[in-house]
Amino acid sequence: MSLVEKSKEVIKKVIAGYNWPIKDTIFIEGHRNFGDCLHVSMIVNHFRKVHPTSHIIWAVSERYFEQFESFTAQVPCVVFPLPHDLTPDDRQEIKKWSSNIGFLKTIFPCVAVSGWTQSGSIVDNILFNAGIKELKVPRKPVFPHEIEDYQWHDQFIIKNGLLGRPYIVLEYNSYTLSKPPHNATWSIDTYNEMLSKFSIPVVYVGSLSDPKLNYGFDARGCTWKQAKVMIQRAKLMIGCGSGLSMLSACSDINTPLIEINIGDTINMKNCYGKQNSQSIHAKKYEQVIAKVNEYF
């Protein structure tokens, strides 16, 4: 069975399992990259507000499904997984198929499927693709976390001797903007050289497959929720325009953000109005260090 046919069967089972009237059900697909899921969390939140009595089903990548299970406690809906490896063409096929089922609304807002046709940021385009002219909820991603994530953070801080010390969170890889060895902004050697000059502790976050850095405190492999708490408690974050930077734009995070060499269409100030963020264009890491020193 192809991934498309498998996805159709999953959607059918979700519909049958809840026995909801199709004509009163909104189907939203926000898939593939974690950042896409964060963008679409705002879309789901909007339609929950606009259609308080309708049923909403939201398809996310199976890779991130577990991280979004608790979303339903904050925004009532059904979140379910589809295969991670669906291509944009696969998703186009699912979009066409699901549009003929009879849903109240069928929404595929991500630009990989519905296009980038408007000027402005990627979020402007996602809102346009969702048919939203006036957003009825805060322009922020929605990503709840639990008490266990604070406990993990506290244990990490104590274990690494950071209790009571301000620290910086570093995002240094983007799977969207780069390919292995993931030099989205700079090479790993340049990041290592920069970190060797910092006097402030740096916690670097990412996948276990990301290159290990020679300096700083290694938080690779933590969950997205744990990373969110790490960012929330940090004095400052340095990002490279990927999912971790988007986490810093959540409504319950006020940590300042410096994004390195990220364009206006995807930086957090233009995407989510994060006022204490800035994107600096830096060829040398000394420019970043000088900017960081303004916060300490």
Side-chain angles (χ1 to χ4, degrees), residues 30-38 61 64 68 84 91 175-176:
H31 196 265
R32 189 62 185 180
N33 296 322
F34 183 77
D36 289 336
C37 295
L38 285 180
S61 164
Y64 309 118
F68 280 92
H84 179 74
R91 294 161 68 192
Y175 285 88
T176 301

Side-chain angles (χ1 to χ4, degrees), residues 85-153:
D85 291 330
L86 288 167
T87 67
D89 286 343
D90 291 336
R91 294 161 68 192
Q92 284 279 8
E93 189 174 338
I94 296 168
K95 178 182 179 181
K96 182 178 180 180
W97 170 81
S98 59
S99 296
N100 293 321
I101 287 181
F103 287 122
L104 176 63
K105 291 182 180 293
T106 301
I107 302 164
F108 281 64
C110 295
V111 297
V113 178
S114 297
W116 189 314
T117 61
Q118 306 298 301
S119 61
S121 72
I122 188 173
V123 173
D124 293 328
N125 278 269
I126 286 172
L127 290 169
F128 177 83
N129 292 341
I132 298 174
K133 295 181 179 179
E134 183 182 355
L135 191 64
K136 297 296 185 181
V137 296
R139 186 166 166 143
K140 300 288 182 182
V142 180
F143 189 65
H145 55 275
E146 282 77 45
I147 187 65
E148 291 83 2
D149 303 309
Y150 286 112
Q151 293 169 345
W152 173 87
H153 167 272

Side-chain angles (χ1 to χ4, degrees), residues 2-296:
S2 70
L3 292 181
V4 170
E5 293 304 316
K6 180 179 178 181
S7 298
K8 291 178 182 179
E9 291 302 313
V10 170
I11 295 167
K12 290 176 184 176
K13 287 180 180 179
V14 171
I15 297 168
Y18 287 92
N19 196 29
W20 288 334
I22 298 295
K23 65 180 181 180
D24 194 33
T25 299
I26 300 171
F27 173 41
I28 302 174
E29 190 260 19
H31 196 265
R32 189 62 185 180
N33 296 322
F34 183 77
D36 289 336
C37 295
L38 285 180
H39 289 319
V40 178
S41 70
M42 178 182 64
I43 303 300
V44 177
N45 194 25
H46 167 86
F47 281 104
R48 178 76 289 154
K49 179 79 171 180
V50 174
H51 296 273
T53 61
S54 296
H55 307 289
I56 298 177
I57 60 174
W58 176 22
V60 301
S61 164
E62 61 193 356
R63 181 173 292 181
Y64 309 118
F65 169 67
E66 185 177 346
Q67 293 289 292
F68 280 92
E69 281 188 288
S70 59
F71 177 88
T72 60
Q74 186 167 334
V75 183
C77 65
V78 171
V79 180
F80 67 97
L82 290 182
H84 179 74
D85 291 330
L86 288 167
T87 67
D89 286 343
D90 291 336
R91 294 161 68 192
Q92 284 279 8
E93 189 174 338
I94 296 168
K95 178 182 179 181
K96 182 178 180 180
W97 170 81
S98 59
S99 296
N100 293 321
I101 287 181
F103 287 122
L104 176 63
K105 291 182 180 293
T106 301
I107 302 164
F108 281 64
C110 295
V111 297
V113 178
S114 297
W116 189 314
T117 61
Q118 306 298 301
S119 61
S121 72
I122 188 173
V123 173
D124 293 328
N125 278 269
I126 286 172
L127 290 169
F128 177 83
N129 292 341
I132 298 174
K133 295 181 179 179
E134 183 182 355
L135 191 64
K136 297 296 185 181
V137 296
R139 186 166 166 143
K140 300 288 182 182
V142 180
F143 189 65
H145 55 275
E146 282 77 45
I147 187 65
E148 291 83 2
D149 303 309
Y150 286 112
Q151 293 169 345
W152 173 87
H153 167 272
D154 293 348
Q155 290 169 3
F156 181 94
I157 292 300
I158 292 170
K159 177 182 176 181
N160 289 285
L162 295 174
L163 188 63
R165 300 173 65 189
Y167 63 85
I168 299 167
V169 167
L170 174 67
E171 173 194 55
Y172 61 105
N173 176 32
S174 168
Y175 285 88
T176 301
L177 300 178
S178 70
K179 302 295 181 185
H182 309 310
N183 298 336
T185 301
W186 291 320
S187 69
I188 295 303
D189 288 341
T190 301
Y191 274 113
N192 277 323
E193 191 170 353
M194 180 177 74
L195 291 188
S196 73
K197 308 298 183 182
F198 272 121
S199 58
I200 308 300
V202 175
V203 176
Y204 60 94
V205 180
S207 167
L208 285 173
S209 63
D210 292 342
K212 189 177 187 300
L213 299 178
N214 296 337
Y215 303 92
F217 298 90
D218 186 358
R220 293 174 306 150
C222 70
T223 69
W224 292 95
K225 293 179 181 179
Q226 291 166 347
K228 181 188 174 188
V229 173
M230 185 67 72
I231 295 166
Q232 187 183 56
R233 296 287 183 87
K235 176 75 171 180
L236 176 68
M237 180 178 182
I238 301 172
C240 63
S242 198
L244 291 163
S245 291
M246 281 183 223
L247 280 179
S248 75
C250 289
S251 58
D252 53 351
I253 293 182
N254 196 40
T255 304
L257 170 68
I258 296 174
E259 293 182 280
I260 306 174
N261 299 340
I262 299 303
D264 291 343
T265 59
I266 61 172
N267 67 43
M268 291 304 102
K269 179 169 286 187
N270 287 324
C271 282
Y272 289 111
K274 185 174 173 64
Q275 293 305 307
N276 60 348
S277 70
Q278 55 184 309
S279 178
I280 64 171
H281 299 283
K283 293 183 178 180
K284 297 182 178 180
Y285 66 78
E286 287 87 352
Q287 295 170 264
V288 177
I289 292 176
K291 188 62 64 173
V292 166
N293 288 341
E294 295 177 9
Y295 292 87
F296 294 91

